Amino acid sequence: MRQKVSSGCVKLLRKETNTKTAGIFVPFDGRIALLTIFQNLVNPSDEAQISVTLKVHGTLVSGTMIGMKRYYEEVSKKLSGSVRAKSEEELSYVKKELQKLFDMIKQPPSKKEIETNDNRYDHIILKDVQIYIESAKVKASHWVGKKDSVDGFVLGEH
């Protein structure tokens, strides 16, 4: 009898906590539903951002969550600025090819693609990152991690 009541409560909880955020259905995953909602709001946006500190397999990762388009634009600029070549012609060619590549991949999937192809945002993208490993602090311009690897989070940076 107790198991049936618990099972019914879980089904009711799942039904009531499934949400539709920015036109995207976010199923309750029993873990970190609020982080998923933030991720689905920020990832397709050009300007939205949220400061978070994540616990990922015991490591703290702190930074500002940004969207994938913004991430690819920022990484494209950094990579383009660091390219070296033997000639100006070769440098120009490599930079143009990199720009074409980043222009193709920086576009987030449309809402229709997300709904029909199960093409959800499975990764969290952070900028201005600080990673705390034991007593050391490592700084990085960007960090990309799987949402499913996050054990916990707090809003704001550490």
Side-chain angles (χ1 to χ4, degrees):
M1 180 79 169
R2 184 176 178 194
Q3 191 173 18
K4 287 183 183 179
V5 172
S6 296
S7 173
C9 288
V10 170
K11 286 179 185 174
L12 180 60
L13 178 65
R14 284 192 174 144
K15 183 177 181 181
E16 290 179 357
T17 54
N18 285 338
T19 59
K20 198 163 192 172
T21 307
I24 301 167
F25 180 71
V26 181
F28 177 77
D29 64 3
R31 297 185 64 222
I32 307 175
L34 187 58
L35 185 61
T36 302
I37 291 168
F38 292 152
Q39 177 191 25
N40 283 319
L41 288 171
V42 172
N43 237 327
S45 172
D46 292 347
E47 297 187 26
Q49 60 185 42
I50 299 173
S51 293
V52 295
T53 299
L54 311 171
K55 185 173 182 185
V56 183
H57 301 295
T59 300
L60 289 180
V61 180
S62 188
T64 304
M65 187 186 305
I66 61 172
M68 65 183 280
K69 182 177 180 181
R70 187 167 164 192
Y71 166 73
Y72 284 122
E73 286 172 349
E74 291 176 11
V75 169
S76 170
K77 284 179 189 175
K78 280 188 173 243
L79 184 59
S80 182
S82 67
V83 172
R84 304 287 180 254
K86 292 180 181 178
S87 69
E88 191 62 38
E89 184 179 297
E90 184 181 18
L91 181 63
S92 177
Y93 172 77
V94 171
K95 285 185 175 185
K96 284 180 187 176
E97 290 302 309
L98 281 173
Q99 190 61 48
K100 285 181 195 176
L101 172 69
F102 278 104
D103 285 345
M104 286 187 323
I105 63 175
K106 73 181 178 185
Q107 294 303 321
S110 69
K111 289 179 184 176
K112 185 176 181 179
E113 287 175 314
I114 291 169
E115 291 171 359
T116 58
N117 295 334
D118 196 31
N119 190 0
R120 287 181 235 135
Y121 299 110
D122 294 331
H123 290 79
I124 295 170
I125 301 165
L126 301 180
K127 74 172 197 162
D128 302 327
V129 181
Q130 296 183 32
I131 303 169
Y132 299 89
I133 304 170
E134 296 179 14
S135 62
K137 177 170 76 171
V138 177
K139 292 185 178 186
S141 62
H142 294 86
W143 177 88
V144 179
K146 289 177 65 176
K147 179 192 67 160
D148 291 342
S149 295
V150 175
D151 300 316
F153 77 100
V154 293
L155 294 178
E157 294 181 43
H158 180 63

